[in-house]
Amino acid sequence: MMSVPAIETLALTKQYDNGRGCRDVSITVGKGEAFGFLGPNGAGKSTFVKMLVGLITPSSGSAALLGCKIGSLAAKSLIGYLPELYRYQEWMTGEEVVELHARLCRMERSVAAKRVRELLDEVGLGQRGRDRVKHYSKGMQQRLGLACALVNDPEIIFLDEPSSALDPIGRREVRNILEKLKERGKTIFLNSHLLEEVELLCDRMALLNNGVILRHGSVSEVLRKQTKWLFKVGGYTPFLRSWLNERTGLNIRLSARQELSSPPRHNFGDQLPSGPSPDESIVWLEAELDSEEQAGWLNALIVEQGMTLYEVSQEQERLEEWFVNTVSGLDHRGEQG
Amino acid sequence: MRIIWSITWKEMLRKKVLLLTLLMTAAFLAGFWFLARAFGEQGLAQGMGESGEVLIARFANGAIIVTIGLMFGSFVLAFLAIFTSFSAIAGEAETGILQAVLSRPLPRWKWYAGRWLGYVTLGTAYALLLFVSILLITRTHAAIPLDPAAWIKSFLLFSLAVPLLVSVSMLGSGLFSAIGNGVFMTILYGTSWLGGMIERIGSGFSRDAAVMESLNRLTGVISLVIPADGLQRKAIAELFSFDELSGMVPFDVSSSGVNNFSSVPSNSFVVYAIMYTAVFFAMGIRRFKSRDL
């Protein structure tokens, strides 16, 4: 029997008057999974999360958290949420804020008091729990927000930029907390611009732009799909590249990585600078390929054209590079250019 | 809901709103004491003893003192109700506090009603303090009717302005920005107060029937738009039971001035004010439930 997904959305849409929001977002996140949600600023990530936690009413579509309709009290009792705009009652102490959240989750006062102390220790605020929130730094407020999000030991944790205000040590501490939660089988939905965080913690991810999901899948899948292959070719002529592009349908281009022994190439446009004879033209070509078979095919084509293939290598693209390349390759409507 | 209205009280205590209010009230009551003493001696010749004439004069002085006291009191009370609640929704939504709180398994109406109860109980407690203080000071220097039923009725009318204004203010807070709602509520209450003043002293402007009719129509509309000031005029009238005492006290009810009681709102007006409060409260909840945060 299939278990109920932790998060399931079907064509979830929120349309604002200015045309922004999310359109037809359908994702499924399994129980115990860590899911990364990426996208440039204004892509609609926070809108999507706010719909899931019941702060925004969707325009259309549906969604459920462990089978409970989003926005229902049953769904809300399953979640913990750290908002992007983490602000808490400044006139309260840290302990009081977390206790308020515990009490709103219907915890008994005595149970809540114990839980509050444990959590504040866990997020590194144990010594400052009795200070008013107005005396907290941004990073401390974010830690407090994490304590509030975890107070009811939620099954699903939504974190919107959970370490944006933290220093590197704080980030590592938060990551450790999240890893422990993941080990305990909690589902984590992470909205983050810190792509390294997503790469280290998440099993799967999705890229949202202008309210539409462009790509999704497991982190390794997405990255493997985007493996960049480099070919060191001797005897290069500009004709080769256009011929290869036409023949393969791939986007083969001159790499920025050129060797000092090669003729100087300051600006690798469509044409190489004139001057050196073809024999002297040793260049690096690059392309994103799906598989080794595709690389082998490309090798054969290069050799078939009478070029010398000196070296073939592949570069595993970091998530950050992938994100930048993908997003910068989109036009303003979020379509691939 | 108890958690929510109790944090509202705590917030007012911690933000020193209550402390400042109480300090300023103490200053007002000190000034009011001297004012009451000065008015209390008005029209009382030495050696008059405790004749019926003196009692009526003391009673008339008491009416003037209470009117002045409650007029100021209603003003302070209205501003306390408005300024504690004008940013209840908008302010907390703008700062992001509501995002964390409302993702909890808590129906939105409970949060709204809890906040509303907090502001209303606080305002009502303050109204009670003010009302009792004004009556005690007045009683020290003049006479007031010793009728607990009249006191209770008058107090309820006096304090009804609190839930009324909090309901309008919280609805406004769900519709406008915090600062926008603050300005809106101040102007709205100012308009209500102005309408009340026109009604009180209108007859001094003109004796022309057509002008008076226009003024009456205007003040009538204002009273319907925001019935806060009318309630307070009704509270004073109930305290002194003017209907029953008609002719026994030397008030010229047709005279213009702050103690002009010729235009006391009817009981239907009180029912209207209660329904007005209920409708605005319900509209506020409705708006809050559908608001995107």
Side-chain angles (χ1 to χ4, degrees):
Chain A
M1 201 175 104
M2 291 241 314
S3 67
V4 183
I7 304 168
E8 188 170 35
T9 72
L10 281 172
L12 199 63
T13 301
K14 178 70 188 181
Q15 205 69 48
Y16 289 114
D17 293 340
N18 64 2
R20 310 294 299 186
C22 295
R23 275 175 294 156
D24 298 325
V25 179
S26 298
I27 57 163
T28 303
V29 179
K31 217 176 156 187
E33 218 180 340
F35 192 87
F37 209 48
L38 298 174
N41 292 332
K45 305 187 299 291
S46 292
T47 299
F48 182 70
V49 173
K50 283 179 180 180
M51 283 194 280
L52 296 182
V53 300
L55 295 174
I56 289 179
T57 312
S59 308
S60 62
S62 64
L65 305 177
L66 288 168
C68 304
K69 192 182 168 206
I70 53 163
S72 65
L73 294 186
K76 284 182 172 185
S77 63
L78 297 167
I79 63 168
Y81 170 52
L82 170 62
E84 184 184 19
L85 188 61
Y86 50 90
R87 289 288 181 277
Y88 300 89
Q89 290 85 346
E90 293 198 332
W91 49 272
M92 282 185 165
T93 66
E95 279 182 3
E96 285 170 341
V97 170
V98 186
E99 193 183 332
L100 170 67
H101 280 257
R103 303 277 289 143
L104 293 178
C105 295
R106 302 187 191 115
M107 282 171 84
E108 289 297 321
R109 189 182 283 271
S110 55
V111 180
K114 190 166 171 278
R115 178 84 179 134
V116 168
R117 279 193 299 276
E118 282 171 8
L119 274 171
L120 288 176
D121 281 338
E122 198 173 339
V123 299
L125 288 177
Q127 302 297 313
R128 301 290 302 270
R130 294 197 175 163
D131 287 358
R132 296 260 178 102
V133 175
K134 68 179 174 186
H135 299 305
Y136 282 15
S137 66
K138 277 187 182 173
M140 288 166 74
Q141 286 201 36
Q142 200 158 34
R143 287 165 187 257
L144 181 69
L146 186 60
C148 289
L150 302 178
V151 76
N152 55 336
D153 195 21
E155 286 304 317
I156 308 169
I157 303 145
F158 291 95
L159 304 162
D160 202 344
E161 304 291 347
S163 41
S164 57
L166 299 178
D167 56 30
I169 296 168
R171 281 180 198 169
R172 185 175 294 177
E173 286 170 359
V174 168
R175 197 186 310 136
N176 289 342
I177 293 171
L178 297 181
E179 276 166 2
K180 277 185 205 160
L181 288 167
K182 196 179 160 190
E183 280 165 20
R184 285 177 51 210
K186 304 291 181 187
T187 307
I188 298 171
F189 190 96
L190 182 64
N191 251 9
S192 182
H193 285 124
L194 296 171
L195 304 172
E196 194 191 343
E197 229 167 45
V198 173
E199 202 172 0
L200 288 171
L201 184 78
C202 295
D203 308 303
R204 291 195 310 129
M205 54 181 274
L207 174 68
L208 191 78
N209 193 54
N210 280 332
V212 181
I213 289 208
L214 295 178
R215 284 180 195 166
H216 64 100
S218 74
V219 174
S220 53
E221 231 175 48
V222 172
L223 292 181
R224 193 165 54 240
K225 270 185 188 166
Q226 295 305 308
T227 301
K228 187 161 72 181
W229 290 75
L230 290 146
F231 302 88
K232 190 177 177 184
V233 180
Y236 174 83
T237 58
F239 166 76
L240 175 69
R241 195 166 70 86
S242 51
W243 182 83
L244 285 173
N245 280 343
E246 199 176 303
R247 182 79 193 267
T248 62
L250 296 167
N251 176 24
I252 298 162
R253 55 197 180 270
L254 287 161
S255 170
R257 174 178 153 185
Q258 303 297 335
E259 290 183 359
L260 291 173
S261 58
S262 300
R265 292 161 216 286
H266 301 293
N267 185 8
F268 300 107
D270 273 353
Q271 301 289 317
L272 278 173
S274 59
S277 70
D279 289 346
E280 292 168 317
S281 299
I282 300 171
V283 296
W284 282 96
L285 294 177
E286 66 179 32
E288 276 77 35
L289 303 178
D290 289 337
S291 61
E292 286 186 0
E293 286 74 23
Q294 215 172 19
W297 177 46
L298 205 54
N299 288 351
L301 289 174
I302 291 169
V303 173
E304 193 183 304
Q305 287 302 303
M307 310 288 161
T308 312
L309 193 60
Y310 290 108
E311 195 180 331
V312 178
S313 65
Q314 54 174 304
E315 240 176 36
Q316 188 74 29
E317 198 171 22
R318 301 294 295 173
L319 189 54
E320 189 149 330
E321 284 172 66
W322 170 79
F323 179 80
V324 171
N325 290 338
T326 307
V327 171
S328 60
L330 303 169
D331 67 15
H332 68 283
R333 293 184 306 277
E335 288 156 3
Q336 285 180 290
Chain B
M1 209 188 303
R2 192 180 56 78
I3 302 166
I4 300 154
W5 71 259
S6 66
I7 66 161
T8 307
W9 271 80
K10 198 181 264 186
E11 180 180 7
M12 293 301 132
L13 278 170
R14 293 262 176 94
K15 287 185 173 173
K16 298 192 171 63
V17 175
L18 273 186
L19 179 71
L20 287 171
T21 308
L22 292 178
L23 282 176
M24 294 313 289
T25 305
F28 158 70
L29 290 175
F32 183 67
W33 172 276
F34 292 107
L35 184 136
R37 196 170 66 179
F39 271 103
E41 287 162 3
Q42 189 177 243
L44 296 178
Q46 289 225 331
M48 282 176 78
E50 283 299 311
S51 65
E53 212 176 308
V54 171
L55 194 64
I56 290 172
R58 280 173 58 79
F59 189 77
N61 290 344
I64 294 168
I65 296 167
V66 166
T67 304
I68 294 170
L70 292 189
M71 248 185 74
F72 177 82
S74 62
F75 210 69
V76 176
L77 192 62
F79 281 113
L80 182 72
I82 291 169
F83 287 120
T84 49
S85 59
F86 80 96
S87 66
I89 309 300
E92 293 196 340
E94 282 163 18
T95 54
I97 290 173
L98 283 182
Q99 291 182 10
V101 169
L102 293 178
S103 61
R104 294 301 176 194
L106 170 83
R108 283 195 183 190
W109 70 265
K110 276 196 176 178
W111 177 263
Y112 189 93
R115 295 295 269 173
W116 185 90
L117 264 179
Y119 296 127
V120 169
T121 50
L122 185 110
T124 308
Y126 176 72
L128 183 65
L129 173 81
L130 204 58
F131 189 80
V132 170
S133 305
I134 287 168
L135 290 196
L136 286 177
I137 291 173
T138 307
R139 178 143 174 74
T140 308
H141 299 291
I144 52 170
L146 293 175
D147 178 2
W151 286 23
I152 292 170
K153 249 170 49 180
S154 178
F155 169 70
L156 290 176
L157 288 165
F158 177 66
S159 60
L160 185 56
V162 176
L164 187 145
L165 288 169
V166 169
S167 300
V168 181
S169 179
M170 282 185 71
L171 170 65
S173 182
L175 294 170
F176 315 124
S177 67
I179 190 154
N181 190 40
V183 171
F184 170 75
M185 283 306 297
T186 307
I187 292 175
L188 191 66
Y189 181 71
T191 308
S192 161
W193 184 82
L194 184 69
M197 285 308 285
I198 291 172
E199 208 156 338
R200 282 185 181 114
I201 61 172
S203 55
F205 292 164
S206 171
R207 290 282 172 191
D208 187 325
V211 174
M212 287 309 294
E213 198 188 323
S214 296
L215 282 179
N216 284 342
R217 202 176 300 130
L218 175 71
T219 55
V221 170
I222 291 173
S223 296
L224 289 178
V225 172
I226 177 85
D229 192 75
L231 285 175
Q232 284 151 354
R233 274 183 285 132
K234 180 82 175 160
I236 297 167
E238 282 297 331
L239 186 67
F240 285 89
S241 305
F242 286 119
D243 288 346
E244 292 151 36
L245 294 168
S246 177
M248 288 174 67
V249 290
F251 294 152
D252 175 7
V253 293
S254 63
S255 70
S256 61
V258 291
N259 57 340
N260 172 9
F261 300 104
S262 62
S263 54
V264 175
S266 64
N267 287 337
S268 307
F269 179 81
V270 178
V271 173
Y272 170 76
I274 292 169
M275 286 175 64
Y276 179 99
T277 304
V279 167
F280 271 76
F281 176 70
M283 280 165 63
I285 286 189
R286 194 183 152 87
R287 167 69 191 142
F288 186 56
K289 278 170 82 174
S290 62
R291 184 184 165 123
D292 284 340
L293 293 166

